[in-house]
Amino acid sequence: MEIVCPAGTPASLRAAVTAGAHTVYCGFADETNARNFPGLNFDRAEMRDGIAFAHDRGTKVLIAINTFPRAGDETPWHRAVADAESCGADAVILADLGLLDHAARNHPRLRRHLSVQAAAANADAVNFYAESFGVKRVVLPRVLSVQEIAAINAETEVETEVFVYGGLCVMAEGRCSLSSYATGRSPNMNGVCSPASHVEYHDENGVLDARLGGYTIHRVQKDEPAPYPTLCKGCFSAGEKTGHLFEDPVSLNAEQLIPQLQKAGVTALKIEGRQRSRSYVAQVVGNFRAAVDALEAGRPMPEGMLARLSEGQAMTTGAYKKTWR
Amino acid sequence: MECPLSHPIPQIPQFPVALAALLRAVPLAPLSVSLTAVSRSIARRHPGLFRRLGPYSQTVFVLDPTDLPLVILLDPNDGVPRVTLARGRGEGAARIAGPLAALLGLVHGAFDGDALFFSRDLVIEGDTSAALALRNAVDDAELDLSLEISRFCGPMKGPLQRVIMLLERHCGVSLTRAAEGAIR
């Protein structure tokens, strides 16, 4: 199985390639990619150099251009697709119907993958994107069970890629606007969920408040793990109840489900975390590469060491096992 | 299905209390001048670091090694940085606080910033966006502070580096750039 690894910077790209990534995904330093964070991403020269570095070592590079263009202002997105092709990308990861159509018409030799931001969650949707825009691979949303993924693969020839590690988005991706209610900015249009410009932490005598757009999303006591102030994982009071309404602050880890995902017909395993450091990339990629190599050699799956890298220092198999609420 | 933390977080080494006490008596101005010279050398050798700061290239950062009796004020100053050591909390737009070993580990790529934040070993206050930009820019620069400092040591460069590596092995603090596979 193919391991698809994140790279937020050229240093992370080199770390991912060195750690054994089959494929790396990254994005340009602008609003065309859904990880438009300060200090991250690639300018055109860095992208060209990064792709050359990866190709020299047999690693593929995918470029995520997976936000939704503004009507009447499509030029940055069109330029990003053209530059991805000229930089030598192995594929682009797109979400928007109009941009997929543009890429298919103007860059037919550039392989197209469907971003998770398109939220294609059934075989009909997957086949529509393949037939209409020549999409070769679909990144499935993190809301499907292994059985549901197997059912989709049984009804399509399109390759499927699923998330196995990292931040757990529990919403219909590409449709979630929760972040914009608190900040005016969303991952879909601006490339940022819980943008750092609206995040504040206040640590008073060890009690940490995590705020987003002025709203306190979490309060944790001394020595409790710190969370990101992400609305879908926030602690809310409703009536007389207080708790995590949608999901706890945890990270996805489906490492032990890799054999089942392989049986379900999945082609590629995606690791989330373009906003994380090269240290994270090296550790997670090395871990998953060892797991996939063990699977292919018929050895037992190695036990992971990734808990301390996880949000809330806790992990979940998310929807894959459907014990998740 | 949630699972508990199955592997403990490695303990971050603390700066020796006795040595920290000695630092209270050390005059900070000459150290500030030396660190400014090192930072400008880094800026010349790693211009991408300051380019990545983007809109925060004139933002003053407070780097607070919580086990030392001083803070480091870093003013990127559009690629001609100034470093000032100060007593007390210092003033800046963003504060990144944690044990010296954690801050050095971040610079050298030995630690993941988010993991240190989750475990409460690192505290971020003030302008989170600026702090994030600095963290990402430093992570991409792949700095080796021992190498950067020893450039100023002329013929003593080799012996100094050997001492640093010995010290690193002895105290478990990341004093050089983490080698692939040695990342924690």
Side-chain angles (χ1 to χ4, degrees):
Chain A
M1 295 176 92
E2 180 182 332
I3 305 283
V4 182
C5 308
T9 61
S12 288
L13 181 145
R14 291 190 290 274
V17 170
T18 308
H22 299 114
T23 301
V24 172
Y25 68 101
C26 46
F28 292 122
D30 56 36
E31 60 194 331
T32 64
N33 102 70
R35 281 287 182 267
N36 183 21
F37 286 32
L40 279 191
N41 298 313
F42 294 64
D43 64 25
R44 268 47 176 182
E46 288 170 337
M47 187 65 84
R48 239 186 317 275
D49 291 348
I51 290 173
F53 179 89
H55 284 177
D56 284 349
R57 290 154 184 81
T59 303
K60 291 179 183 168
V61 177
L62 317 177
I63 299 182
I65 307 168
N66 56 346
T67 50
F68 295 85
R70 285 183 298 276
D73 185 21
E74 301 90 351
T75 306
W77 285 265
H78 290 179
R79 196 185 307 128
V81 174
D83 290 346
E85 185 169 44
S86 65
C87 286
D90 295 280
V92 283
I93 309 170
L94 309 177
D96 180 68
L97 287 165
L99 194 59
L100 279 159
D101 184 61
H102 170 85
R105 288 176 195 275
N106 296 285
H107 306 277
R109 286 190 301 278
L110 181 60
R111 186 177 156 101
R112 291 171 293 286
H113 291 187
L114 189 70
S115 168
V116 69
Q117 285 283 94
N122 59 61
D124 288 345
V126 170
N127 287 329
F128 164 78
Y129 282 104
E131 287 157 16
S132 304
F133 309 115
V135 163
K136 300 292 184 199
R137 179 182 295 181
V138 169
V139 184
L140 295 175
R142 284 163 271 198
V143 294
L144 299 169
S145 68
V146 175
Q147 290 77 10
E148 287 164 340
I149 291 167
I152 289 173
N153 280 324
E155 291 182 47
T156 183
E157 296 297 311
V158 180
E159 296 173 2
T160 53
E161 180 175 311
V162 300
F163 283 92
V164 287
Y165 191 82
L168 178 62
C169 185
V170 296
M171 298 298 173
E173 289 171 69
R175 311 284 186 268
C176 176
S177 295
L178 269 179
S179 183
S180 61
Y181 285 106
T183 69
R185 306 184 78 199
S186 76
N188 315 320
M189 303 304 291
N190 311 100
V192 278
C193 173
S194 305
S197 52
H198 291 68
V199 169
E200 287 174 83
Y201 296 106
H202 289 271
D203 193 321
E204 201 152 329
N205 300 322
V207 178
L208 181 74
D209 279 6
R211 297 178 191 159
L212 181 69
Y215 301 100
T216 300
I217 308 299
H218 283 282
R219 176 170 293 153
V220 290
Q221 301 302 313
K222 195 173 191 300
D223 298 329
E224 283 182 340
Y228 294 128
T230 314
L231 280 166
C232 61
K233 295 174 191 167
C235 189
F236 296 96
S237 294
E240 293 175 358
K241 288 185 180 172
T242 296
H244 295 99
L245 186 58
F246 303 107
E247 177 58 290
D248 302 334
V250 294
S251 285
L252 174 70
N253 186 359
E255 188 179 16
Q256 295 301 318
L257 297 179
I258 292 174
Q260 294 174 50
L261 292 168
Q262 186 185 42
K263 279 187 196 144
V266 168
T267 299
L269 306 172
K270 184 166 199 151
I271 296 165
E272 189 273 348
R274 280 191 283 154
Q275 74 283 19
R276 301 290 290 268
S277 66
R278 66 183 202 272
S279 163
Y280 165 96
V281 168
Q283 289 178 77
V284 178
V285 172
N287 209 83
F288 275 90
R289 179 62 192 263
V292 168
D293 286 350
L295 181 69
E296 286 178 3
R299 298 193 303 270
M301 296 281 286
E303 193 186 337
M305 297 281 288
L306 302 173
R308 65 192 163 87
L309 290 169
S310 306
E311 184 180 5
Q313 298 180 344
M315 299 187 292
T316 173
T317 49
Y320 291 131
K321 280 192 169 174
K322 279 295 185 196
T323 51
W324 171 70
R325 66 175 180 267
Chain B
M1 184 182 73
E2 262 188 65
C3 51
L5 178 61
S6 53
H7 299 282
I9 294 162
Q11 197 73 38
I12 309 285
Q14 296 289 311
F15 196 80
V17 176
L19 284 179
L22 276 180
L23 276 177
R24 290 183 198 284
V26 172
L28 298 183
L31 273 175
S32 300
V33 171
S34 304
L35 288 173
T36 295
V38 172
S39 70
R40 289 187 180 178
S41 163
I42 290 173
R44 282 192 296 276
R45 299 177 52 77
H46 302 271
L49 193 164
F50 292 88
R51 202 170 52 242
R52 274 191 180 271
L53 288 176
Y56 305 108
S57 63
Q58 292 187 316
T59 299
V60 176
F61 297 89
V62 181
L63 310 175
D64 182 359
T66 49
D67 44 359
L68 296 188
L70 52 85
V71 294
I72 303 160
L73 305 177
L74 170 63
D75 177 1
N77 191 30
D78 275 331
V80 192
R82 282 189 290 258
V83 178
T84 311
L85 300 183
R87 313 278 184 207
R89 276 181 64 82
E91 292 221 355
R95 170 184 301 272
I96 303 173
L100 178 67
L103 300 179
L104 288 171
L106 274 180
V107 170
H108 289 131
F111 291 133
D112 175 66
D114 285 26
L116 289 176
F117 170 74
F118 298 148
S119 65
R120 308 288 296 273
D121 288 304
L122 200 70
V123 173
I124 294 170
E125 288 177 301
D127 189 334
T128 309
S129 190
L132 212 57
L134 179 65
R135 190 220 40 198
N136 291 334
V138 168
D139 192 57
D140 183 57
E142 298 176 296
L143 296 177
D144 185 328
L145 290 181
S146 75
L147 204 62
E148 300 295 345
I149 290 169
S150 59
R151 288 184 205 288
F152 288 81
C153 298
M156 293 304 290
K157 180 179 171 180
L160 177 67
Q161 285 207 295
R162 280 193 289 279
V163 168
I164 288 172
M165 288 173 79
L166 203 67
L167 203 60
E168 185 176 56
R169 272 201 299 276
H170 178 70
C171 65
V173 176
S174 171
L175 300 173
T176 59
R177 196 173 98 181
E180 301 296 341
I183 288 169
R184 283 167 279 182

